[in-house]
Amino acid sequence: KLIATPYGTKDDIYKFALLNLIQESLRQIILDDEKYMIYDFVKEIIISLKNNKINYLQTALLFLAQIIKLNGYELEVNHCVFCGSKKEIVTFSFNEGGFICKNCLADLDYDSSSNLTNKQMLLIRSLFLIDKPNISIPDFNEKDGRIILSYFKDFIFEGIGVKLKSINLFEE
């Protein structure tokens, strides 16, 4: 927990953390000839930071979702990745490519270790569908955001092979 800061407010620390996350991600994950693809997104984040109209954790999650998509992971967040069903979605798996329904999960012999709530899965869906950083996600809360941040952190390390140290600045 933050006890004191030379910047004066806790928000300044989160601004710094978000800028650090962006810089570190661009340097370690995105190839130089692909950086133009995320330029407008990053520009909007910086403008929002300047205007102090930003939820830092939500923006970090939206940014990381963009990074994951830019790395070629088009995750299915509208229906079950296997059967296409929109009903009884019970889990999300990066390894399987998105949402999985109850029936397919039983057929897969796959242990659902995600244990995400419906609200958290809806948050994941929003993060991957929104393509602007300054859009407010309805019912966003810090607790669910931090859980999803942990999933993103693990996937970026395991799936992309990069350990982003600046993600830790958003953890409580």
Side-chain angles (χ1 to χ4, degrees):
K1 294 225 178 209
L2 178 67
I3 297 171
T5 172
Y7 298 105
T9 68
K10 189 175 182 180
D11 282 352
D12 290 332
I13 292 298
Y14 286 123
K15 271 186 194 178
F16 176 73
L18 183 56
L19 289 170
N20 223 11
L21 177 65
I22 291 169
Q23 179 271 337
E24 185 180 17
S25 299
L26 291 176
R27 189 173 37 83
Q28 291 190 33
I29 298 175
I30 304 298
L31 298 172
D32 285 341
D33 58 344
E34 294 178 343
K35 288 181 181 169
Y36 76 92
M37 298 168 75
I38 199 163
Y39 174 81
D40 290 332
F41 197 86
V42 171
K43 182 180 172 185
E44 285 188 46
I45 291 173
I46 292 169
I47 290 169
S48 296
L49 279 171
K50 184 178 179 184
N51 297 330
N52 290 323
K53 295 181 179 179
I54 199 163
N55 177 309
Y56 301 103
L57 179 57
Q58 176 184 300
T59 304
L61 289 167
L62 285 165
F63 175 75
L64 291 172
Q66 292 297 314
I67 293 291
I68 290 168
K69 290 191 295 188
L70 275 173
N71 270 273
Y73 295 94
E74 193 64 40
L75 302 165
E76 183 52 65
V77 293
N78 289 314
H79 50 76
C80 177
V81 71
F82 295 107
C83 71
S85 174
K86 293 184 177 184
K87 298 183 186 221
E88 295 190 31
I89 300 295
V90 293
T91 194
F92 173 84
S93 169
F94 277 111
N95 293 335
E96 300 298 334
F99 287 150
I100 304 171
C101 74
K102 185 177 182 179
N103 292 334
C104 291
L105 184 64
D107 293 343
L108 281 175
D109 189 32
Y110 174 75
D111 179 30
S112 171
S113 59
S114 72
N115 297 322
L116 296 172
T117 66
N118 285 341
K119 192 173 179 183
Q120 290 164 349
M121 286 191 286
L122 286 172
L123 175 57
I124 288 173
R125 182 176 188 271
S126 295
L127 292 169
F128 282 102
L129 292 179
I130 294 173
D131 61 354
K132 301 279 185 197
N134 53 4
I135 294 176
S136 180
I137 297 174
D139 301 323
F140 179 83
N141 71 59
E142 300 289 315
K143 181 182 176 195
D144 289 337
R146 282 183 174 44
I147 290 168
I148 303 308
L149 181 73
S150 177
Y151 277 87
F152 282 12
K153 175 183 172 181
D154 291 345
F155 176 72
I156 289 169
F157 179 65
E158 294 168 10
I160 299 175
V162 174
K163 185 172 185 166
L164 294 173
K165 295 176 185 175
S166 54
I167 285 181
N168 298 332
L169 297 172
F170 289 94
E171 296 175 346
E172 278 190 319

